[in-house]
């Protein structure tokens, strides 16, 4: 039985990628009653013009202005404007590469597993030397702490994953995305979805390719924002903090203290030296595995990822007030 599907792609300056993504998704969902909404946060490149042209060629494609610019707000607005009759919400990103049968496979898993949400793993891919190193280390325990949706290969019900498809009913019952979150809005949403009894299934057979940042500065900014967003989520939902997320800021704090105090207690340098040794071994292993000297850049890349994430986490705690989430009587 055909279901009404709302596919939302929040974008900002994605001219190089948006046409390929829209055409791919439109072809895959040809047998479904689908609407594709590109929620544009005010692009200054040709993104909007490309989508307008696609809307003339492909039925069901729409350009939606997202005045709040944030991805969370764009998805919420698309559901509000175009989701009245939809049964399934599919969230996509313009910078990801999607399998040709992506939508149909998501719908099949959603139905077979009787899940409220289907999430998928992301496999990082790179072009330049640094981007390759970031991609390779991102899919290791050093880079992701063993997160199931980063290079994971095991399917099953999980607490969180990269958002792919969910029922519109579950999305609405959970309250949609929190539009005050600039980052980590998906993890925060999953906390509320689970709190109302929602079931999240990770399908490791449906995989996405993702291209990470290609420069140290942009990588640091990205992970700083990740850490800042996570600091809000763990305070809003205290039970959501995982060991891997606790270890990163703790390690960074201890490492900084060890370096500062090393003039009076040189033995404290054992901690940062052991840390660099572990990263060095990881980088050599990656370089050997991929037969590329670029893998050695995994060491500085991991340092940037860890320290930027931790600094963002601490900055979020110090600069952003956050109360604990409580389920309201209207949420059932």
């Amino acid at each position: 039985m055909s279901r009404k599907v709302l596919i939302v792609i929040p974008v900002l300056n994605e001219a190089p990628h948006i046409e390929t993504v829209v055409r791919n998704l439109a072809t895959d969902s040809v047998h479904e009653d689908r609407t594709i909404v590109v929620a544009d946060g005010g692009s200054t490149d040709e993104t909007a013009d490309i989508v307008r042209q696609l809307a003339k060629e492909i039925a069901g494609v729409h350009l939606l202005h997202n005045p709040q610019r944030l991805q969370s707000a764009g998805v919420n607005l698309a559901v509000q404007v175009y989701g009245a009759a939809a049964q399934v919400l599919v969230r996509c990103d313009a910078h990801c590469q999607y399998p040709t049968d992506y939508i149909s496979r998501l719908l099949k898993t959603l139905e077979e597993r009787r899940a409220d949400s289907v999430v998928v793993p992301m496999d990082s891919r790179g072009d330049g030397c640094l981007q390759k190193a970031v991609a390779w280390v991102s899919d290791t325990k050093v880079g992701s702490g063993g997160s199931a949706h980063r290079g994971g290969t095991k399917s099953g019900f999980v607490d969180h994953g990269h958002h792919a498809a969910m029922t519109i009913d579950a999305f609405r019952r959970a309250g949609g995305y929190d539009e005050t979150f600039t980052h980590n809005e998906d993890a925060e949403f999953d906390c509320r979805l689970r709190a109302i009894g929602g079931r999240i299934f990770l399908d490791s057979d449906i995989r996405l390719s993702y291209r990470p940042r290609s420069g140290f500065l942009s990588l640091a900014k990205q992970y700083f924002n990740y850490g800042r967003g996570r600091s809000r989520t763990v305070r809003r939902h205290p039970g959501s903090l995982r060991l891997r997320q606790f270890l990163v800021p703790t390690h960074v704090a201890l490492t900084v203290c060890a370096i500062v105090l090393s003039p009076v207690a040189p033995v404290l340098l054992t901690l940062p030296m052991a840390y660099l040794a572990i990263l060095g071994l990881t980088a050599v292993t990656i370089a050997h595995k991929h037969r590329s000297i670029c893998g050695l850049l995994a060491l500085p890349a991991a340092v940037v990822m860890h320290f930027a994430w931790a600094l963002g986490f601490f900055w979020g705690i110090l600069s952003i007030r956050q109360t604990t989430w409580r389920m309201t009587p209207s949420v059932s």
Side-chain angles (χ1 to χ4, degrees):
M1 182 179 69
S2 179
R3 284 171 290 183
K4 296 181 182 297
V5 181
L6 174 64
I7 304 168
V8 183
I9 314 170
V11 298
L12 180 63
N13 295 327
E14 294 287 359
H17 314 291
I18 190 61
E19 181 173 0
T20 300
V21 170
V22 171
R23 289 190 183 279
N24 189 23
L25 294 171
T27 301
D28 176 38
S29 55
V30 69
H31 299 298
E32 298 293 335
D33 185 355
R34 57 99 180 107
T35 299
I36 300 176
V37 177
V38 179
D40 184 73
S43 295
T44 55
D45 62 5
E46 297 178 352
T47 298
D49 292 334
I50 293 172
V51 176
R52 291 190 187 97
Q53 183 59 42
L54 289 171
K56 296 178 181 178
E57 300 177 22
I58 305 172
V61 173
H62 303 273
L63 175 67
L64 176 66
H65 175 55
N66 173 21
Q68 295 193 50
R69 299 175 66 87
L70 300 179
Q71 293 188 10
S72 54
V75 177
N76 285 351
L77 183 60
V79 171
Q80 178 184 341
V81 176
Y82 292 99
Q87 297 166 295
V88 177
L89 167 66
V90 176
R91 174 175 172 174
C92 296
D93 298 297
H95 56 268
C96 285
Q97 296 180 9
Y98 294 94
T100 54
D101 55 354
Y102 184 65
I103 304 297
S104 54
R105 293 176 68 185
L106 287 176
L107 296 177
K108 181 180 179 182
T109 300
L110 198 62
E111 181 177 356
E112 289 182 348
R113 298 295 177 174
R114 296 184 179 180
D116 296 283
S117 173
V118 175
V119 296
V120 297
M122 298 181 69
D123 298 319
S124 297
R125 299 285 185 266
D127 294 322
C129 202
L130 176 58
Q131 192 177 49
K132 288 179 180 178
V134 174
W136 292 334
V137 77
S138 294
D139 290 341
T140 68
K141 288 187 177 181
V142 166
S144 65
S147 177
H149 65 281
R150 294 307 302 261
T153 58
K154 184 179 180 181
S155 297
F157 286 96
V158 295
D159 291 340
H160 170 58
H162 180 74
H163 280 192
M166 68 185 77
T167 67
I168 286 283
D169 177 65
F171 184 77
R172 288 179 174 141
R173 285 192 297 114
Y177 290 121
D178 187 326
E179 297 180 7
T180 66
F181 274 67
T182 60
H183 294 78
N184 213 231
E185 77 282 351
D186 51 352
E188 192 281 327
F189 173 88
D190 284 345
C191 290
R192 286 183 280 118
L193 180 59
R194 296 196 315 275
I196 63 173
R199 286 158 42 96
I200 305 169
F201 187 81
L202 172 70
D203 191 331
S204 64
D205 293 328
I206 307 175
R207 311 188 71 84
L208 300 183
S209 294
Y210 168 80
R211 297 191 181 280
R213 300 298 190 270
S214 57
F216 283 119
L217 184 60
S218 58
L219 182 67
K221 182 179 179 180
Q222 178 186 33
Y223 273 79
F224 180 89
N225 287 329
Y226 283 168
R228 185 175 58 180
R230 177 59 67 173
S231 76
R232 289 194 60 192
T233 298
V234 299
R235 283 179 292 149
R236 194 174 194 198
H237 306 277
S240 67
L241 182 64
R242 297 293 176 260
L243 179 61
R244 65 178 182 271
Q245 296 155 354
F246 173 77
L247 288 177
V248 173
T250 300
H251 159 73
V252 168
L254 291 176
T255 297
V256 171
C257 289
I259 294 173
V260 171
L261 296 175
S262 62
V264 295
V267 69
L268 293 177
L269 288 177
T270 303
L271 177 61
M273 290 175 64
Y275 170 64
L276 290 177
I278 292 172
L279 295 188
L281 178 60
T282 300
V284 170
T285 301
I286 289 174
H288 180 265
K289 176 182 177 180
H290 295 279
R291 301 291 193 271
S292 172
I293 196 172
C294 293
L296 298 179
L297 287 174
L299 190 158
V303 171
V304 170
M305 292 159 66
H306 293 162
F307 275 74
W309 196 97
L311 290 174
F313 187 87
F314 289 131
W315 180 256
I317 290 176
L318 294 173
S319 64
I320 305 175
R321 298 182 62 183
Q322 182 61 62
T323 57
T324 302
W325 178 79
R326 304 291 183 190
M327 188 182 300
T328 61
S330 60
V331 177
S332 58

